[in-house]
Structure formats: C-alpha cells, structure tokens
Amino acid sequence: MSQDIQETIKKQIGDNKIILFMKGNKQAPQCGFSAQIVQMLNSYDVPYETVDVLLDPEIRQGIKDFSNWPTIPQLYVGGEFIGGCDICTEMFQNGQLEPLVKSAAG
Amino acid sequence: MEPDKIKELIENGMSAEHVKVDGDGSHFEAIIVSNEFEGKSLIQRHQVVYKALGDAMKDDIHALSMKTYTPEQWQGMSN
C-alpha cells in the first residue's frame, strides 16, 4: 500500500470523530451491508462522515490493509476501528454501539 | 464457493472445536467455537478466522457473518 494512501486514510480517520468507509454514500448506499450501518448511524441522529470507496480503488484496498480487515463497510469511531456490518449489528442490538457513537459525537 | 469448503479452510487454518457454515454461494453464516478466541475482542476473533480463510476472503466470499464463541461461552449457550 503506497505511503500517501496510508497517510490519507490516517488523516481521514483522525479528522472525523465518526467515519464510515462504505460503498456509495448516505443518500445512496450501493451495498446492503453499507446501508445497514448508515441506518444504524441515522437512528442515533449524530453527524458522521462517509467515504465512498467505489470512487477510489486505492482507498478501497488501502483501508483493508490499514485495518487488516478484508471487507467493506468499515466503521471508525474516535479514531478506532469498530468493525464491519456484522460486528456493528451485534453491538447495535446489544446496546454497545449507541453510547460509543454518541460520546464520540460529543 | 461451497459452505463445506469454508468449513474445511477454517478447520485447517485454526484450532476450532466446532464449526458450522451455511450459505448461498457468496453470502455465508458461520458459527465457530475455539479456545483461540479466549480473551479476544470481537474484531480480533474475526481476524483469526479471516486469517484462516486467507485469499478466499478476497475472491470467493462476498460476505461472511460470524458468531464466535469460546468453549465456555458455547457450553453456556447449549444448556
């Protein structure tokens, strides 16, 4: 993975309290799993940033290398990798996701 | 890819007491019980499984939903 992609990703994650690397965007998710996390975040009514990995193949691969996680979407809160759709759904259902997201949103 | 192939990859790639895999060819659900999950977060547990699956995750498996348990957690579930 090229150095500057890693820097770009690190900056995006550092500059945004809540950021979702997804396929598509909030208004038009392009994959069911990305749409699921968008719905969960929308239910909390907090501001969050998204990155459409479909627009940049280098980011699409770079984020997988960055987190050592092979799939998209990937949610980052407070600079930390939280998980993909599977883990976020589990945390959404067991009530762990809401306090994490809301405290990061401030 | 077939669920049995994924089960085989997981069983060969990590030490697991119980592996069950269902799926339709590109979306899969797996239940995995392993002492390797001891003291690991959900993310770390999934990364152990992804490591076992290796390149299959890149090419053949579009989505794998996993339930990961330690033997004690699995014991607690079944009684």
Side-chain angles (χ1 to χ4, degrees):
Chain A
M1 172 168 63
S2 70
Q3 202 45 38
D4 50 353
I5 274 297
Q6 202 172 33
E7 287 314 318
T8 308
I9 290 171
K10 214 176 271 177
K11 190 165 182 340
Q12 288 173 322
I13 292 170
D15 290 353
N16 294 282
K17 297 187 179 102
I18 303 165
I19 186 165
L20 176 64
F21 290 78
M22 64 179 287
K23 291 176 182 170
N25 55 53
K26 290 181 204 181
Q27 288 72 30
Q30 297 302 305
C31 129
F33 300 113
S34 293
Q36 273 179 36
I37 296 190
V38 163
Q39 270 165 11
M40 290 184 234
L41 293 175
N42 288 347
S43 76
Y44 296 144
D45 200 20
V46 291
Y48 64 96
E49 190 55 47
T50 61
V51 174
D52 183 350
V53 302
L54 298 177
L55 301 179
D56 184 342
E58 268 207 291
I59 294 270
R60 182 174 186 172
Q61 183 51 47
I63 193 66
K64 292 176 184 176
D65 299 334
F66 181 84
S67 56
N68 182 27
W69 190 263
T71 57
I72 302 288
Q74 294 186 20
L75 178 64
Y76 292 77
V77 176
E80 253 197 75
F81 176 44
I82 303 306
C85 185
D86 203 23
I87 288 176
C88 287
T89 303
E90 194 164 333
M91 291 175 70
F92 179 77
Q93 285 161 351
N94 67 22
Q96 279 181 318
L97 191 60
E98 184 165 9
L100 195 67
V101 166
K102 290 202 166 163
S103 63
Chain B
M1 181 166 268
E2 287 315 307
D4 293 344
K5 177 66 180 150
I6 292 175
K7 180 174 170 15
E8 193 192 312
L9 285 172
I10 292 172
E11 284 168 341
N12 294 337
M14 59 182 286
S15 85
E17 284 183 23
H18 171 72
V19 180
K20 182 173 181 298
V21 182
D22 299 307
D24 63 6
S26 75
H27 293 68
F28 298 92
E29 298 86 36
I31 296 171
I32 304 147
V33 180
S34 164
N35 46 29
E36 286 192 47
F37 295 149
E38 216 64 60
K40 284 198 168 71
S41 69
L42 273 184
I43 286 179
Q44 291 164 330
R45 292 182 182 198
H46 288 213
Q47 284 173 324
V48 167
V49 178
Y50 282 140
K51 195 157 163 272
L53 288 168
D55 287 341
M57 266 321 289
K58 289 197 183 93
D59 323 321
D60 313 297
I61 301 171
H62 175 62
L64 172 63
S65 164
M66 291 185 237
K67 291 282 177 229
T68 52
Y69 302 107
T70 60
E72 291 74 29
Q73 288 171 325
W74 184 243
Q75 209 57 39
M77 301 264 298
S78 30
N79 50 19

